Amino acid sequence: MAQNIYDDPGFFAGYSQLPRQVRGLLGAPEWPAIRAMLPDIAGKRVVDLGCGFGWVSRWMREQGASGVLGVDLSQNMIARATAMTQDPAVAYEIADLETLELPKATFDLAYSALTFHYIRDFDRLARMLYRTLVPEGHLVFTIEHPIYMAAAHPGWGQDQDGRKTWPVNSYFIEGERRTDWYVKGVLKYHRTVGTTLNALIGAGFTLRHVEEFSPTREQIKAVPELADELERPMMMLVSAQR
């Protein structure tokens, strides 16, 4: 079973104050890049994996999706998403992505934002998603970039010239990474870029687009602290097709 930190009261209180939770998709600087990777959603059946507060699930319906299933391990997340959603065509379910099995050939699009790096067995998940998508169905997801999460102690430092640097060590040593984020010992699973993409290829997917997110000049002008994201990739965005 995946670690469920989101039902920890301290973690949930802090997490709820993140700009991307307070402002929804407008608070996620990577959203325009993700949106450009999505297929036409009108009339499509969508599963939102790690749906959180349901921001994307509701947006998918606004774009004309025929139905959306939002899945999350956290009772807190599902309760908040349910309270914020009045659309009967959006359903939510508490489930563990480590063991989740969805019906075969059911969805046109599987979407996930910043969730798959919490999953130990990504190969199993990729194979399951391939089965649940219809022929030519799409998978679009974001994860923390392997460079961002590889180090045992990620965080900004300085080099000898005083320039901001991000540590990259143990990159090829895959597996558990534990960091302190609102609570101690948040568990994630580091995989290299190659391992992640090859898992998709091995499951049968065709890669459509891979992007290492960096903010635009306009975004940095509006939010100057985003300039840090030019120093190292924080997220990897992937689009694949069955």
Side-chain angles (χ1 to χ4, degrees), residues 12 29 35 69 71 73 75 83 117 138 148 154 157 163 206 212 220-221 225 236:
F12 189 72
R35 189 175 57 203
L69 172 63
V71 178
L73 178 62
Q75 294 183 16
H117 49 263
H138 291 78
Y148 176 81
R163 293 175 300 193
T206 297
E212 298 167 296
I220 293 172
K221 184 176 180 180
E225 55 265 34
M236 186 165 72

Side-chain angles (χ1 to χ4, degrees), residues 202-232:
F205 284 103
T206 297
L207 298 177
R208 305 292 296 179
H209 188 76
V210 178
E211 184 166 339
E212 298 167 296
F213 171 73
S214 64
T216 64
R217 291 181 179 178
E218 291 76 15
Q219 287 178 318
I220 293 172
K221 184 176 180 180
V223 186
E225 55 265 34
L226 285 177
D228 286 351
E229 306 307 323
L230 299 177
E231 300 294 332
R232 52 91 180 94

Side-chain angles (χ1 to χ4, degrees), residues 109-155:
L109 169 63
Y111 175 84
S112 182
L114 298 175
T115 298
F116 289 169
H117 49 263
Y118 293 112
I119 304 304
R120 180 185 61 81
D121 193 349
F122 181 62
D123 292 87
R124 189 211 72 87
L125 180 62
R127 293 192 299 269
M128 186 278 291
L129 293 176
Y130 185 86
R131 292 192 300 269
T132 199
L133 289 171
V134 301
E136 300 186 4
H138 291 78
L139 168 64
V140 177
F141 68 91
T142 69
I143 56 172
E144 289 187 357
H145 197 289
I147 285 177
Y148 176 81
M149 65 180 298
H153 302 288

